[in-house]
Amino acid sequence: MWASLWLVISLTFITACTSKDSSTVAAGGRISPTYQGPAEATYCASTISYSGLTTTVSGTATFTRRNPWGVSGAGSGGLGSASTSGTHAATNLPIRRAEVRVTDGSGAVIQCATTDNAGAFSFILPRSSATYTVSINSRASNAFMVASVLNRPEQNLFYSLQASVTPSAATANLGTMTATSTSSGTLLAGAFNIYEQMLKANDYLRTQIGATCGGHAGCPAFTVAPKVVAYWEKGFNPNSYFGSPSGLSFYLPGYSRLFILGGQDGDVDSSDTDHFDNSVVIHEYGHFLEDSMFNSDSPGGSHNGDKVIDPRLAWSEGWGNFFQAAVRNEALYVDTLGNDDGSTHLIYYADLETAATGNDNPTAQGEGNFREFSVTRMLWDATDAVSAENVHGGADDIATQFDEIWASLTKTSNSFSDTDWAFRSVGHLHYGQGLLGASNWANIRTLEFQDGNTDEYASFVKRTSDGGVCTFVNTTYTKSITPVANTSQTSPSDLFRNNDFYHIKITAGGAYTFRLEYLDQNGAGTKADLDVYLYNESARFGSATDVLTKSNANPSTGIGAVEVEQAPAVTLGVGNYLLNVNAFVSGSGGVGTPAYYKILMNGVQLCPA
């Protein structure tokens, strides 16, 4: 088994899944997305000098990019599906900053070079009547990007746009070499478009962060992201690794690997494809940045644009949605199927700025921390130049704050990179940003009903004897849940309204007990049935394998009496744990009536730290 996947399914929603079996054998001789396979060929980096008569070879490398769909009349409701047919003119774009490799007839390397920002290249060869192969490859390892687009882990072959040259004169101009986007050919442009989107992401980060990161102390300079590999093949669906026919692109945490959907069962003309869907490619690259440059605690799991979900997942997917929009400078998420010489369709379209109904909109304070597109919109509003927030009304009074977002993710302390933090969500981002002492985000937090802390999810608590402080208006602990109707402790539960979550850091291993005591505040009414669950650091809500101890007995019925949930003692090692108080509601019992409680660990009350 491996860590949870971050992925995008290109249907009418975005989703994620967890814990696939890495022993699954896919079609076409594929073994597993975690398979190491042969080593990638050594990068051609060093220019070779030649004396005597030489030939200067030059040219320009481009790829044909299928134009993105226009948005007029498509998906006017925002989230949801739109289906429109049409023909779209192709555009030739440069293959920038890419490896150039020159080989002789035996495959020996004769020269190395790099395309410039316009796709142009120039190098020298010894003058002769020999014929050499010039390859523009789908990878870079330089000051602009360190990334490769390869075919599959089982082979690790890069893609090449090739031409032949015979250096028999002082100069040789190869003209413009073009990787095409037609499905009747190799669809080589698909690989180079994926390459280009990763390069654009690096360019964006250099522009926004550079050497100074807005002057935020402890925020590291950005020059280039770590090495990543994007796997893609024409007509191949990465979900085949898992035995599923559904089209799928995903990022594999811990392996620095993106898998981009190239079609289904060999079809690129009418099936879902992602190689020209820049939103999808950059979204997945955003997950790679989470994994490699700061920390994410996303548990994976199903998600779409209209659900209350785990705040860690809401943050991770909201970040990916936002990052692709920021890099492309367009507040849209667009997904398509088919190809220019097939039957192209727009199948998914989300307006991240102006959509007015549905669209993951929170309605209560704190609920925005649990909603993916609320996170997306808040991040977008922190960086765009639009002054009016178009979903909930009110003023978006800040702009160009990407450096503050990045500092709150990467600086050495009080950020997502802080090793003392766990169960990270947008609440942590707000908390870290507030400590920067920079811009005031209060307005955009209010517009999206987000809390600027972790009170609603993974509030850090300690025993009173360890530094936890219980200071409240009343003499008793006043934490309460006012539940809404739900059916079980697992996925149908309203994670925001029917659950409280606490982060406990165990600093000394040993046996621990957890006890929930009901506290009656008004002397009347029916209490909700509160249950208590202790999760490990993976903390997949409702997953029995992640629950370390629990108590979900029915409480006694007396009002005014102390009622308890006593979880069996459990041996814990040093680390982070998530304590969940869940209101189990069946039918109408307890709905709308506050249930007050306190939590004790080894007999001592837990309180905010």
Side-chain angles (χ1 to χ4, degrees):
M1 306 294 284
W2 70 78
S4 303
L5 300 181
W6 283 306
L7 51 90
V8 171
I9 288 183
S10 302
L11 297 171
T12 58
F13 56 88
I14 300 175
T15 188
C17 72
T18 60
S19 299
K20 298 288 189 179
D21 186 347
S22 60
S23 65
T24 300
V25 177
R30 292 171 176 82
I31 300 170
S32 163
T34 63
Y35 187 70
Q36 292 304 308
E40 181 181 349
T42 301
Y43 190 81
C44 190
S46 300
T47 300
I48 301 173
S49 298
Y50 290 100
S51 58
L53 291 176
T54 60
T55 298
T56 299
V57 181
S58 61
T60 301
T62 67
F63 70 95
T64 304
R65 159 73 165 107
R66 187 191 72 189
N67 276 351
W69 277 81
V71 300
S72 58
S76 58
L79 292 178
S81 63
S83 182
T84 308
S85 297
T87 301
H88 302 277
T91 300
N92 282 357
L93 298 176
I95 300 175
R96 306 183 298 129
R97 314 299 189 186
E99 174 192 36
V100 180
R101 176 190 293 256
V102 185
T103 53
D104 64 15
S106 67
V109 174
I110 303 301
Q111 188 57 279
C112 301
T114 303
T115 62
D116 66 15
N117 201 49
F121 57 85
S122 178
F123 53 84
I124 64 169
L125 292 178
R127 195 174 301 181
S128 73
S129 60
T131 297
Y132 300 103
T133 299
V134 179
S135 299
I136 315 301
N137 299 326
S138 59
R139 59 182 188 166
S141 182
N142 49 47
F144 302 98
M145 184 171 70
V146 185
S148 299
V149 181
L150 307 180
N151 64 337
R152 62 179 77 172
E154 295 81 1
Q155 295 179 348
N156 287 320
L157 301 176
F158 52 79
Y159 293 89
S160 296
L161 174 63
Q162 296 183 338
S164 297
V165 62
T166 300
S168 57
T171 61
N173 192 327
L174 298 178
T176 299
M177 304 164 58
T178 302
T180 63
S181 61
T182 56
S183 59
S184 57
T186 60
L187 197 55
L188 193 59
F192 284 107
N193 187 65
I194 295 167
Y195 169 94
E196 169 66 14
Q197 302 321 304
M198 297 189 294
L199 179 56
K200 284 173 63 177
N202 277 263
D203 290 344
Y204 177 80
L205 290 173
R206 272 188 296 274
T207 299
Q208 297 294 320
I209 304 304
T212 63
C213 192
H216 303 298
C219 179
F222 181 87
T223 53
V224 65
K227 172 68 180 287
V228 68
V229 172
Y231 286 105
W232 171 84
E233 282 192 84
K234 173 188 173 183
F236 178 66
N237 174 14
N239 216 4
S240 298
Y241 278 115
F242 313 129
S244 173
S246 299
L248 178 67
S249 290
F250 63 88
Y251 172 70
L252 188 64
Y255 289 85
S256 296
R257 293 178 173 183
L258 282 63
F259 289 81
I260 303 301
L261 176 63
Q264 294 168 268
D265 296 325
D267 174 28
V268 297
D269 284 334
S270 59
S271 69
D272 191 4
T273 59
D274 286 339
H275 38 266
F276 290 124
D277 290 335
N278 298 347
S279 290
V280 175
V281 175
I282 302 174
H283 175 106
E284 299 305 334
Y285 191 81
H287 287 319
F288 159 70
L289 294 175
E290 284 184 87
D291 194 29
S292 63
M293 300 200 71
F294 49 96
N295 290 312
S296 173
D297 296 320
S298 174
S302 177
H303 66 101
N304 63 33
D306 203 22
K307 288 176 64 177
V308 168
I309 60 176
D310 188 310
R312 296 167 298 167
L313 179 60
W315 155 256
S316 180
E317 298 305 325
W319 156 258
N321 297 339
F322 155 73
F323 186 69
Q324 65 81 29
V327 171
R328 298 189 307 105
N329 193 30
E330 184 177 51
L332 298 174
Y333 194 108
V334 181
D335 193 6
T336 66
L337 60 77
N339 205 56
D340 278 337
D341 53 351
S343 177
T344 54
H345 288 268
L346 173 66
I347 59 172
Y348 181 86
Y349 166 75
D351 188 321
L352 308 182
E353 180 74 67
T354 61
T357 59
N359 297 283
D360 217 10
N361 287 327
T363 58
Q365 186 60 37
E367 186 182 348
N369 297 53
F370 291 74
R371 288 189 174 272
E372 170 184 345
F373 273 86
S374 176
V375 173
T376 302
R377 283 192 301 270
M378 186 280 299
L379 292 171
W380 177 258
D381 285 335
T383 58
D384 74 345
V386 178
S387 60
E389 214 280 0
N390 293 298
V391 177
H392 300 119
D396 168 6
D397 58 350
I398 61 174
T400 63
Q401 298 300 310
F402 187 86
D403 62 306
E404 294 190 21
I405 296 171
W406 192 253
S408 299
L409 297 173
T410 63
K411 68 190 189 75
T412 50
S413 63
N414 293 317
S415 76
F416 273 52
S417 298
D418 194 322
T419 56
D420 285 335
W421 287 17
F423 311 110
R424 296 166 179 87
S425 70
V426 73
H428 290 85
L429 179 85
H430 285 305
Y431 177 71
Q433 186 275 336
L435 293 177
L436 292 176
S439 302
N440 186 349
W441 287 19
N443 200 31
I444 60 171
R445 281 199 299 268
T446 299
L447 290 170
E448 286 298 337
F449 296 91
Q450 291 179 13
D451 280 346
N453 50 49
T454 62
D455 285 355
E456 290 293 346
Y457 188 82
S459 177
F460 187 46
V461 293
K462 290 182 177 180
R463 292 177 295 186
T464 51
S465 58
D466 297 328
V469 179
C470 289
T471 302
F472 302 99
V473 174
N474 300 317
T475 56
T476 54
Y477 183 57
T478 57
K479 188 64 178 174
S480 67
I481 293 178
T482 303
V484 296
N486 72 299
T487 57
S488 75
Q489 185 268 336
T490 53
S491 56
S493 180
D494 188 313
L495 286 173
F496 169 58
R497 293 172 177 83
N498 284 18
N499 294 270
D500 288 332
F501 298 91
Y502 303 98
H503 170 199
I504 299 170
K505 190 176 186 69
I506 299 298
T507 58
Y512 288 86
T513 60
F514 295 88
R515 176 184 176 92
L516 180 148
E517 294 184 358
Y518 290 80
L519 298 169
D520 178 53
Q521 296 286 62
N522 56 19
T526 303
K527 292 182 177 68
D529 177 2
L530 300 185
D531 299 323
V532 60
Y533 298 81
L534 182 71
Y535 286 91
N536 60 29
E537 195 158 2
S538 297
R540 292 169 297 174
F541 183 78
S543 171
T545 58
D546 292 352
V547 174
L548 302 176
T549 187
K550 66 180 180 180
S551 177
N552 56 354
N554 291 324
S556 57
T557 58
I559 296 297
V562 174
E563 303 152 5
V564 301
E565 293 281 355
Q566 179 75 49
V570 60
T571 299
L572 302 178
V574 173
N576 297 296
Y577 299 88
L578 190 71
L579 188 71
N580 169 223
V581 176
N582 169 257
F584 179 86
V585 180
S586 179
S588 60
V591 171
T593 302
Y596 296 87
Y597 66 90
K598 66 179 179 180
I599 298 286
L600 297 91
M601 183 171 74
N602 285 2
V604 182
Q605 186 174 353
L606 288 172
C607 295

